[in-house]
Amino acid sequence: MKIAIIGFALSGATFLQTILDNDPTDLKIYIYEKRNEYPTGLPYEKDSLDKLLNVDTDEMVYPEDMADDFPKWMDANNKNLDPVENMAPRVYFGQYLKEKTKDYLNNPCVNLINEEVKNISVEIIASKERYTVESATKKAKYDLVFLGTGASFYQDPYKLERKENYIAKPYPLEEKLKAIKEDKKIAILGTSASSTDVFRYLSKNKKLKEPISFFTGPSEYKIVDIPYEGNILDYYSPNQEWIDKELEACGEIKLDRLVNTINDDFKKAGVELSYAYETYKDHTLALSKKAIEINDQDLAFTEDYFIQFALYVADLANFMNPIDRKVFLENHYIYLSFLGGKTPYGSMKLLLDYYDKEKMDVTTNLEEVKVNSDGSFTLIGKKKKDADIIINSTGFEMDLQKIAQRIPLYESLLRNEMIMADTNGEGIAVTWPRCNPLSKKFGKLNNLFITGMLITQTDIDNNDARCIQKTSMRIAELIKKEYKL
């Protein structure tokens, strides 16, 4: 059997490890990866130590019984947490992944092709799928393709790409931001995790003479992550064991059973489920300051509950009937999901310190960015401000048509009718839990598997290392069972 893995970051590496763990015979695996550094992907590539994880080290590895593997590796390799944030630099997790993957890459059945895939096509003869994969120098047929290419590229909502003094993507921080002069007015688009990385880097490595200006939508800055002083596992119920029992008993996840279970967990902890959402949904700096001042443990509990829930939400939602799923996501999950991308505690304290000293400000409801004749910018939102340099941290493009216009691989998949867009044209529609793409031409392709951010409307809230590993492991286990590997 010949397998192609396209994209070799966390997803592809997890898939490879799981496939090879039984030491299968008569198997050839070809890995296509365009980057020279792997399996780090963008999140964990070589970069500044100011680029930090936004979860604890024991929340990076799946399955649960391996959760302490990364912290143990850090201890063994004398790697320390950031002293302010108490979080690990992302590059450390990248080093960990390299070490864990090394032996698998040396397996004689594995071949690595350091090239970008430009085209994929499929032919189906006697119900058997055969995939043709083309890169710059290689064209070959495969029985099965695992697509783990990760994120797309940063959005460009104000059409500034290729403009002088516009930094289209902030990473690697050391490469993109090192040359910024300290007398320049800096504008950061967005208040996401990447914006926080940019702010942290600039505050530590530059003595800027002008305040840093953030420009964003209706909310100022994602709410602060308050450290929880208890153990969330003393209260959390809807885990994998709970899911398996419900599916065995009912054949699906019942909405009322799940909602009652969540409410019972919160009641046991003495926390009101709606409290965090109703109190902090506006995501203002003032609210984060208040949460820090009162050490809001009800918020902290809800945040830690969400971290656990994110690992299981795709199964919980997708194993519901579609009517219940819609009600759950629209009416119930909002009380937890608004906490996605919260701001690390130490970084928020630094942001608030800069804000109080008028070294930082936030402009909401950004509508327009004008390019001036001297190469500077005027940004117009609730306030109007000028900037010499703009750093784009608005997030990744999800519109499938726009992605296909820039990435040949996805253009070929669309042209060959092997994929179709999910709701509102965003991402790729796939089945669950196999993650096979849906297609008007083929129905679904049983031996093409897609993971990562582009299937987030199905693999819900999968912007989490554990979720990525979980999905990749599940696909690999399905393949091993079906093909007796």
Side-chain angles (χ1 to χ4, degrees):
M1 184 179 189
K2 285 180 66 178
I3 295 176
I5 298 175
I6 301 175
F8 196 62
L10 179 57
S11 178
T14 303
F15 176 80
L16 177 70
Q17 292 170 29
T18 310
I19 284 287
L20 292 181
D21 272 341
N22 287 356
D23 196 22
T25 57
D26 299 324
L27 184 65
K28 287 290 183 183
I29 299 176
Y30 293 81
I31 299 170
Y32 291 82
E33 172 53 54
K34 65 181 180 180
R35 294 165 56 91
N36 292 322
E37 186 182 6
Y38 45 81
T40 61
L42 176 65
Y44 313 113
E45 67 185 353
K46 292 177 183 176
D47 202 350
S48 166
L49 297 183
D50 297 320
K51 182 180 173 183
L52 303 178
L53 300 176
N54 55 10
V55 297
D56 293 334
T57 55
D58 61 357
E59 293 166 349
M60 291 299 297
V61 176
Y62 182 86
E64 293 93 329
D65 60 8
M66 290 289 290
D68 63 350
D69 199 49
F70 178 47
K72 284 182 177 178
W73 179 89
M74 284 190 60
D75 288 341
N77 289 274
N78 298 313
K79 303 293 186 183
N80 298 316
L81 301 177
D82 179 84
V84 174
E85 204 65 84
N86 206 33
M87 297 288 184
R90 286 181 177 268
V91 68
Y92 291 168
F93 192 64
Q95 293 169 3
Y96 164 83
L97 292 175
K98 290 177 186 177
E99 186 172 308
K100 294 296 177 181
T101 309
K102 182 170 57 177
D103 289 344
Y104 292 93
L105 287 172
N106 290 331
N107 189 300
C109 79
V110 174
N111 301 272
L112 193 141
I113 302 158
N114 201 188
E115 296 177 358
E116 179 181 5
V117 169
K118 301 288 188 179
N119 187 72
I120 302 179
S121 58
V122 64
E123 57 181 352
I124 303 177
I125 301 173
S127 301
K128 186 176 181 179
E129 300 166 13
R130 288 282 284 170
Y131 296 88
T132 300
V133 176
E134 298 178 58
S135 63
T137 65
K138 187 174 179 65
K139 180 177 181 180
K141 292 185 180 294
Y142 298 94
D143 302 299
L144 184 148
V145 173
F146 178 89
L147 189 60
T149 53
S152 56
F153 48 85
Y154 275 83
Q155 298 171 358
D156 182 23
Y158 304 100
K159 296 180 172 55
L160 299 172
E161 194 161 6
R162 296 187 178 87
K163 298 294 184 184
E164 188 178 2
N165 302 319
Y166 175 69
I167 299 174
K169 63 177 183 178
Y171 300 117
L173 297 173
E174 288 190 332
E175 175 187 316
K176 299 291 184 178
L177 309 183
K178 188 175 182 178
I180 289 177
K181 295 181 179 178
E182 295 179 341
D183 62 345
K184 299 298 183 182
K185 292 181 181 179
I186 309 298
I188 301 173
L189 300 185
T191 51
S192 62
S194 59
S195 309
T196 304
D197 281 340
V198 170
F199 170 76
R200 192 186 298 113
Y201 178 88
L202 292 174
S203 64
K204 288 186 178 182
N205 296 282
K206 301 285 182 180
K207 294 181 180 178
L208 296 176
K209 295 178 173 59
E210 299 285 345
I212 299 172
S213 296
F214 289 88
F215 293 84
T216 185
S219 297
E220 287 183 351
Y221 219 102
K222 284 287 189 178
I223 207 69
V224 61
D225 182 10
I226 299 292
Y228 182 50
E229 295 171 359
N231 182 354
I232 196 66
L233 297 181
D234 291 339
Y235 304 97
Y236 186 83
S237 295
N239 56 21
Q240 195 62 52
E241 182 181 3
W242 187 93
I243 293 170
D244 292 342
K245 286 182 178 178
E246 291 297 309
L247 292 177
E248 184 178 352
C250 309
E252 67 178 20
I253 301 297
K254 298 288 188 180
L255 175 61
D256 57 346
R257 285 275 298 152
L258 177 58
V259 171
N260 289 338
T261 297
I262 295 170
N263 280 322
D264 288 346
D265 286 348
F266 274 74
K267 287 177 182 176
K268 182 180 176 183
V271 178
E272 179 64 41
L273 173 59
S274 62
Y275 165 77
Y277 177 75
E278 296 299 340
T279 306
Y280 296 105
K281 62 185 176 182
D282 290 337
H283 295 286
T284 66
L285 291 170
L287 286 173
S288 282
K289 187 173 184 178
K290 170 190 170 185
I292 291 171
E293 289 173 347
I294 66 175
N295 187 27
D296 194 337
Q297 286 299 292
D298 285 4
L299 170 63
F301 174 87
T302 310
E303 289 173 329
D304 271 26
Y305 197 94
F306 169 73
I307 289 174
Q308 295 302 316
F309 198 83
L311 182 56
Y312 306 105
V313 65
D315 279 343
L316 290 165
N318 286 307
F319 288 134
M320 287 181 184
N321 67 62
I323 297 173
D324 280 358
R325 183 186 310 125
K326 188 173 188 296
V327 172
F328 172 70
L329 293 175
E330 291 181 357
N331 298 342
H332 299 282
Y333 189 43
I334 189 171
Y335 291 117
L336 297 175
S337 60
F338 89 102
L339 293 167
K342 57 193 180 298
T343 305
Y345 185 81
S347 292
M348 179 54 76
K349 290 184 73 174
L350 185 61
L351 282 159
L352 290 170
D353 180 61
Y354 266 55
Y355 184 77
D356 290 342
K357 294 176 179 176
E358 298 184 347
K359 295 165 63 178
M360 182 277 277
D361 59 57
V362 180
T363 297
T364 55
N365 300 314
L366 178 61
E367 294 181 355
E368 184 182 2
V369 179
K370 293 183 177 179
V371 182
N372 302 317
S373 58
D374 62 355
S376 66
F377 305 92
T378 300
L379 299 95
I380 303 167
K382 193 171 182 180
K383 293 181 283 187
K384 181 178 178 181
K385 285 184 172 288
D386 295 324
D388 299 309
I389 296 171
I390 291 179
I391 303 169
N392 181 30
S393 297
T394 54
F396 291 102
E397 183 61 66
M398 292 295 291
D399 185 290
L400 191 56
Q401 289 289 342
K402 292 180 180 178
I403 292 169
Q405 288 170 11
R406 283 188 49 175
I407 302 179
L409 167 62
Y410 291 104
E411 189 278 331
S412 75
L413 289 168
L414 269 179
R415 173 171 32 84
N416 295 327
E417 296 189 79
M418 296 167 66
I419 61 173
M420 57 189 285
D422 209 328
T423 308
N424 299 322
E426 294 192 344
I428 298 171
V430 298
T431 63
W432 188 259
R434 291 179 58 92
C435 299
N436 298 131
L438 296 173
S439 159
K440 287 187 176 181
K441 181 175 183 178
F442 299 105
K444 67 182 177 75
L445 292 166
N446 290 304
N447 276 6
L448 175 59
F449 301 85
I450 303 179
T451 64
M453 189 177 290
L454 289 179
I455 64 162
T456 192
Q457 293 200 59
T458 301
D459 195 1
I460 302 164
D461 269 323
N462 68 358
N463 190 22
D464 179 307
R466 300 165 305 159
C467 294
I468 292 168
Q469 293 165 78
K470 181 181 178 182
T471 298
S472 301
M473 289 174 69
R474 173 183 274 167
I475 292 170
E477 294 293 351
L478 285 168
I479 292 167
K480 285 160 66 174
K481 184 177 180 180
E482 287 179 14
Y483 290 95
K484 297 179 173 60
L485 297 179

